[in-house]
Amino acid sequence: MSGPAGGSALVEARGVVKRFGGLTAVHGLDLTLREGEILGLIGPNGAGKTTLFNLLSGQFAPDAGKILLEGREIHHLPSHRICRLGLARTFQVPRPFLAMTVSESVLVGAQFGRRVPGTTASETADRCVALTRLEPRRNAPVHSLNLAERKRLDLARALATRPRVLLVDEVAAGLNPTEVRETVGILREVHAAGIGIIYVEHVMEAVMDISHRVHVLDHGATIAIGTPAEVTRDPAVIEAYLGRSAGS
Amino acid sequence: MSSFTRRHLFLGVGALGGLALIAPLLLANPYSSRLAQLLFMNVLLASAWNLVGGFAGQISFGNASLFGVGAYATSMLWLAGFHPFLTMPAAALLAALYGVAWGWPCLRLRGPYFAIATIGVAEATRIVANHIEAAGGASGLTLPLEQDLGPVLLYALGAVLAVASVLVSAAVRRSRLGLGLIALREDAQAAAASGVNVARQQVTVFAVTAALTGLAGGYYAVFTLYVVPEKVFGFDLSISLVLMVLVGGIGTVMGPVLGAGIYLFLEQFVLASLADIHLAAFGALLIFIILLEPRGAAPRLAQFVRLIRRRFG
Amino acid sequence: MVDLLSVLASGILVGTVYAYMAYGLGLIYGVLRVVNLAHGAFLTLGVYVTWWLNTTFGMDPLVSILITVPLGFALGATVERTLVFRLRDSPPVTTLLLLFGVWLIVRNALYLIFGGADRSLLTSYSLESLAVGPLTLSIPRLIVSAFSLLGFVVLALMLKRTWSGLALRAVAQDREAAALSGVPVNRVWAVAFGIGSALAMSAGSLMSLFYSVTPEFGARFLLKSFCVVVLGGLTNIGGILVAGIGLGIAEDLTAFYIHTGYRDVVSFLVLTAALVMRRADSD
């Protein structure tokens, strides 16, 4: 897949810091997602990937630094405002609305997300249900879904908010190889529709397969940025992964 | 998602027609008309509570503070010379304002924390009300008996208010607001990440809850002609609402209606004969529902109706 | 100046009791994540048992602590084993309602047994007082305050130094991890509920020295207990002590400088404000 080299920045984090009590989870981090790009975000456990997602999506406010979405500062905004400006996310462990059906859940995103003139909420919801291959389960109660379906439902709900940027948190973890391939296929379609993606993943084949660039974190700081091929050869990255995994 | 359909309007008019047809039966004597008034009031209260307690999942033990504001608003305006019907909008408005005033900060809390905060607000309100001399202090206000609206008007007013509250509840359930409320009840963070303004949705629905509860207070003042802080701001009232909704079926449109009826029946016919142990009987009922039938009677009834339909339809 | 000092002194004395009274609620919340709405029932029960022992056998309220502690423990553990236990995986609000049901039943039982009249007891030292400089301090309040502090020390040592204390803290921090490390979580829950209820009942014994009681007694003090634990940080012993004393002082200042009738409004408003400011997220 060809990488769009010089696209303008969709999402930019500048010098972002997040502390929890005495622990600094993110140390003055800079990160850029360019227009039309899939950015892989990897790093060992505890590197700060999920914390960074929570900062970008407004679940946490940063202690210092700025976050910009299409040039606009968003780090002081609450989650729902950020979502309506066009940044949506999935969760590492899917967080479904258990009392609803599949189509109702997706409708939540469509009703409350970014407003795009010319389409109705239910059309958007239908499109996202179809895109995530949940069509056969559209009237099923959410609590009857299996893990793979719940992950796709999270994705559908996020897409229904009509984002410009999608943050995907470990959507392939815990799935079998067929399901992983299917999920990667969905992400490709999302990208083809012009949505920028930041993709956190432990399943390396998946993330290396579709990312244009990979951003590697360790201990809340950047240790490498580059194409998948460059990053896998980077000594700091090998050290961070092997140094740790040898011990665990 | 069509929010308020013609079917609802049709059902509402039908319900009012039905209530008009059985009116002569219920207006036969003072006791039965009092029962009808209490039933209408309970339906109004329980439906209102369920909007925030059932749909948004925020359990309030403090709705008496809203009821009391409505009851006092109507009483004081009536004593100042306004027609009781005209005092109703004021009761709704003042209760909604008071509800938003304390609901806005408190609804940032969730679960048991919200529940406890509502007890604090309601009890503080009750104590303060006891000390306001302009509103009669602890001895309350007595309304002019000679201006009593009479059983027919009271029945009509109650019926309209009760049916309206159920229609409001149905409309909310099917609206964008209702979808957002159920989403935030299930997972507030995920709802916010999907664009739901959690704070605004909750405060909005709480304003509706408060307005309806204030109307119930106003109606109560009009048919009892006597308001006193210990009763209209009392903790027992707040608790009885929770019980009604739990008995009937929390988070459903018809559950509160069913619960209001069951509660009235229990209160009037069962507990009255158990005067000495009525608190314990309530306690036992509460424990029984929570352990054995936490979803209330409504789902059971729906099951039963489906069964009947399958057999005969 | 003397007025202010004596208001402060009395606030501090009553505040230590508030802290002791509230601690059981915090302990139960910390370990079980359950808001014990029956806390007020145990408090009230403690006062009545103490009153009954005093009027029937002439037992000193301080001695009756030897009875209210084990009795509270047994009752609390029973409530946990028979009722609360069944709802361990339900949303916290359902347990709250369940325990409210328990409270209603206890209240009703107290009406049947003792009637609705105010009950109070008198000991040989009930009306004694001690002059300290310009201040006059009530002897029963001093004694009760000292006992509360003693109770706190015992509890703090127990939680720090004993195996059961360790188990309690482990479950409070992470129920699943504790279970995986071999802590018998079921038993710890019953024990925690038992200790919390024993604290509440013995607080009732202490409070009998200067409060009269009706079956409605618990409601007021349940809310004050909420106020203290929420302000003090649920399971933090030191924080709860400070919060109890803070509430005691705030109430006495209000009663003295504004209006006695508004004494209780303070705790409710402080409670709500504290909750809202903490923005404690529960689920």
Side-chain angles (χ1 to χ4, degrees):
Chain A
M1 193 171 285
S2 64
S8 60
L10 260 183
V11 176
E12 230 181 317
R14 290 189 201 147
V16 170
V17 175
K18 182 65 193 174
R19 296 185 203 92
F20 295 106
L23 186 97
T24 305
V26 175
H27 289 269
L29 192 80
D30 294 322
L31 173 144
T32 307
L33 171 74
R34 297 182 196 134
E35 192 88 46
E37 183 181 48
I38 300 180
L39 178 70
L41 185 62
I42 64 169
N45 280 324
K49 305 180 296 284
T50 296
T51 304
L52 183 63
F53 267 23
N54 286 336
L55 289 164
L56 293 175
S57 62
Q59 229 112 73
F60 303 150
D63 294 312
K66 286 182 176 178
I67 298 169
L68 299 104
L69 174 64
E70 296 183 287
R72 176 175 176 168
E73 289 189 7
I74 58 163
H75 53 266
H76 54 278
L77 297 177
S79 297
H80 68 272
R81 295 262 299 134
I82 292 177
C83 170
R84 289 175 189 182
L85 288 173
L87 186 147
R89 68 169 298 179
T90 71
F91 293 91
Q92 191 176 354
V93 177
R95 299 179 61 166
F97 303 133
L98 289 174
M100 295 187 181
T101 64
V102 168
S103 58
E104 281 173 328
S105 310
V106 180
L107 196 57
V108 172
Q111 287 260 12
F112 289 93
R114 193 164 71 102
R115 292 200 183 90
V116 176
T119 47
T120 68
S122 57
E123 284 167 14
T124 307
D126 289 345
R127 208 153 22 79
C128 295
V129 168
L131 176 69
T132 51
R133 327 282 194 262
L134 285 167
E135 191 61 47
R137 308 296 315 266
R138 55 173 301 128
N139 292 317
V142 167
H143 63 78
S144 71
L145 264 49
N146 65 30
L147 178 68
E149 289 168 332
R150 285 182 186 206
K151 292 207 165 201
R152 293 208 303 271
L153 176 62
D154 248 30
L155 205 54
R157 190 176 66 197
L159 287 171
T161 67
R162 285 171 279 203
R164 299 278 294 118
V165 177
L166 182 66
L167 310 184
V168 182
D169 200 350
E170 296 204 23
V171 75
L175 303 188
N176 68 38
T178 321
E179 291 166 338
V180 170
R181 265 197 301 283
E182 190 176 30
T183 303
V184 168
I186 294 171
L187 290 182
R188 283 210 165 97
E189 284 181 49
V190 171
H191 172 250
I195 297 172
I197 298 176
I198 304 181
Y199 183 24
V200 163
E201 191 58 84
H202 275 299
V203 180
M204 283 302 151
E205 309 94 274
V207 71
M208 293 302 178
D209 183 17
I210 65 167
S211 300
H212 301 120
R213 286 190 308 141
V214 177
H215 191 124
V216 192
L217 291 185
D218 193 20
H219 295 299
T222 304
I223 57 169
I225 305 176
T227 64
E230 287 163 7
V231 160
T232 38
R233 286 194 304 267
D234 192 302
V237 176
I238 296 166
E239 156 72 23
Y241 271 90
L242 293 183
R244 208 75 48 79
S245 56
S248 63
Chain B
M1 184 163 286
S2 54
S3 64
F4 194 75
T5 58
R6 231 175 236 182
R7 190 171 139 260
H8 283 119
L9 212 59
F10 182 71
L11 284 175
V13 172
L16 277 179
L19 286 170
L21 280 180
I22 59 165
L25 217 64
L26 288 166
L27 293 170
N29 62 60
Y31 180 62
S32 62
S33 39
R34 175 52 58 94
L35 281 186
Q37 291 157 3
L38 287 170
L39 180 65
F40 293 145
M41 183 184 83
N42 285 356
V43 168
L44 189 52
L45 282 171
S47 296
W49 186 90
N50 184 57
L51 290 177
V52 70
F55 296 158
Q58 292 279 52
I59 307 289
S60 162
F61 286 119
N63 276 20
S65 69
L66 310 167
F67 182 84
V69 166
Y72 269 90
T74 285
S75 305
M76 293 172 80
L77 286 171
W78 192 358
L79 288 171
F82 288 91
H83 187 272
F85 277 11
L86 294 180
T87 67
M88 291 288 155
L93 185 69
L94 286 172
L97 286 177
Y98 189 55
V100 170
W102 68 256
W104 180 69
C106 289
L107 283 163
R108 298 198 303 184
L109 305 165
R110 287 204 63 78
Y113 294 99
F114 174 75
I116 293 168
T118 61
I119 303 178
V121 172
E123 289 295 284
T125 310
R126 179 180 61 81
I127 295 170
V128 172
N130 267 307
H131 287 91
I132 298 178
E133 292 310 323
S139 47
L141 295 171
T142 308
L143 297 166
L145 191 60
E146 66 283 359
Q147 289 178 34
D148 184 11
L149 292 172
V152 177
L153 268 185
L154 284 173
Y155 183 89
L157 178 62
V160 169
L161 290 177
V163 170
S165 72
V166 178
L167 289 182
V168 166
S169 177
V172 168
R173 175 68 184 82
R174 295 177 57 90
S175 68
R176 177 173 181 270
L177 174 65
L179 189 68
L181 292 174
I182 291 170
L184 71 89
R185 177 187 77 196
E186 297 297 306
D187 189 330
Q189 274 188 6
S194 312
V196 178
N197 185 340
V198 172
R200 164 126 47 101
Q201 296 272 307
Q202 292 191 102
V203 174
T204 306
V205 81
F206 196 62
V208 180
T209 292
L212 292 175
T213 309
L215 279 176
Y219 182 57
Y220 169 87
V222 174
F223 75 75
T224 57
L225 301 173
Y226 176 56
V227 295
V228 58
E230 288 306 312
K231 173 85 186 152
V232 298
F233 287 108
F235 191 51
D236 288 352
L237 181 90
S238 295
I239 283 300
S240 64
L241 304 185
V242 184
L243 211 54
M244 280 178 216
V245 177
L246 280 175
V247 168
I250 188 166
T252 62
V253 173
M254 289 315 285
V257 180
L258 203 60
I262 297 174
Y263 183 91
L264 187 67
F265 173 80
L266 287 173
E267 190 187 42
Q268 296 290 318
F269 301 108
V270 181
L271 300 179
S273 59
L274 303 172
D276 280 351
I277 56 161
H278 85 274
L279 283 178
F282 266 98
L285 180 67
L286 192 57
I287 293 174
F288 175 83
I289 297 167
I290 287 174
L291 289 181
L292 300 175
E293 205 61 77
R295 293 167 62 211
R300 280 287 144 134
L301 197 71
Q303 239 173 27
F304 183 70
V305 170
R306 270 199 299 276
L307 196 80
I308 299 284
R309 271 197 196 149
R310 217 172 303 149
R311 193 146 302 171
F312 300 101
Chain C
M1 194 59 211
V2 174
D3 278 349
L4 181 62
L5 271 182
S6 61
V7 168
L8 286 178
S10 115
I12 290 171
L13 291 185
V14 83
T16 48
V17 186
Y18 282 176
Y20 183 74
M21 154 190 94
Y23 191 64
L25 194 69
L27 182 79
I28 291 175
Y29 183 83
V31 177
L32 289 88
R33 302 287 147 185
V34 159
V35 177
N36 182 13
L37 264 194
H39 187 74
F42 289 107
L43 279 172
T44 317
L45 210 54
V47 186
Y48 271 110
V49 168
T50 308
W51 173 83
W52 181 75
L53 289 170
N54 180 267
T55 48
T56 315
F57 305 106
M59 186 185 285
D60 189 280
L62 298 172
V63 176
S64 68
I65 291 177
L66 295 175
I67 292 173
T68 48
V69 164
L71 186 61
F73 185 89
L75 286 175
T78 309
V79 167
E80 203 283 326
R81 284 287 80 183
T82 52
L83 298 173
V84 178
F85 167 71
R86 291 167 202 277
L87 291 179
R88 61 183 333 185
D89 295 314
S90 313
V93 169
T94 53
T95 329
L96 190 125
L97 290 166
L98 177 94
L99 287 161
F100 183 74
V102 172
W103 183 19
L104 286 177
I105 293 174
V106 171
R107 233 161 96 193
N108 202 154
L110 291 173
Y111 270 117
L112 287 177
I113 301 169
F114 298 103
D118 255 316
R119 306 286 186 186
S120 57
L121 55 77
L122 209 61
T123 59
S124 56
Y125 49 89
S126 282
L127 303 172
E128 300 284 319
S129 59
L130 183 71
V132 183
L135 301 177
T136 321
L137 300 176
S138 132
I139 293 276
R141 286 191 182 230
L142 279 171
I143 294 177
V144 164
S145 191
F147 264 77
S148 300
L149 288 174
L150 184 72
F152 256 89
V153 173
V154 170
L155 207 70
L157 287 178
M158 199 211 85
L159 285 181
K160 265 227 157 76
R161 299 281 162 81
T162 67
W163 269 109
S164 16
L166 186 68
L168 282 176
R169 282 186 293 142
V171 176
Q173 288 206 346
D174 189 335
R175 165 180 142 197
E176 272 160 34
L180 289 173
S181 332
V183 176
V185 173
N186 283 346
R187 209 185 315 154
V188 169
W189 277 23
V191 167
F193 214 97
I195 296 178
S197 310
L199 284 168
M201 268 191 79
S202 55
S205 290
L206 293 176
M207 292 162 89
S208 73
L209 276 169
F210 50 85
Y211 289 115
S212 63
V213 64
T214 72
E216 304 297 327
F217 177 85
R220 230 174 113 203
F221 291 98
L222 169 71
L223 287 160
K224 288 186 205 281
S225 303
F226 278 143
C227 182
V228 171
V229 292
V230 167
L231 268 180
L234 292 166
T235 50
N236 172 351
I237 290 199
I240 284 176
L241 190 57
V242 173
I245 292 173
L247 179 65
I249 292 174
E251 282 189 5
D252 277 358
L253 287 175
T254 311
F256 191 80
Y257 289 103
I258 301 174
H259 190 298
T260 335
Y262 287 136
R263 172 189 286 272
D264 288 342
V265 176
V266 175
S267 45
F268 303 137
L269 293 184
V270 169
L271 167 66
T272 309
L275 274 169
V276 169
M277 281 187 295
R278 291 185 82 90
R279 292 193 71 166
D281 241 16
S282 64
D283 20 17

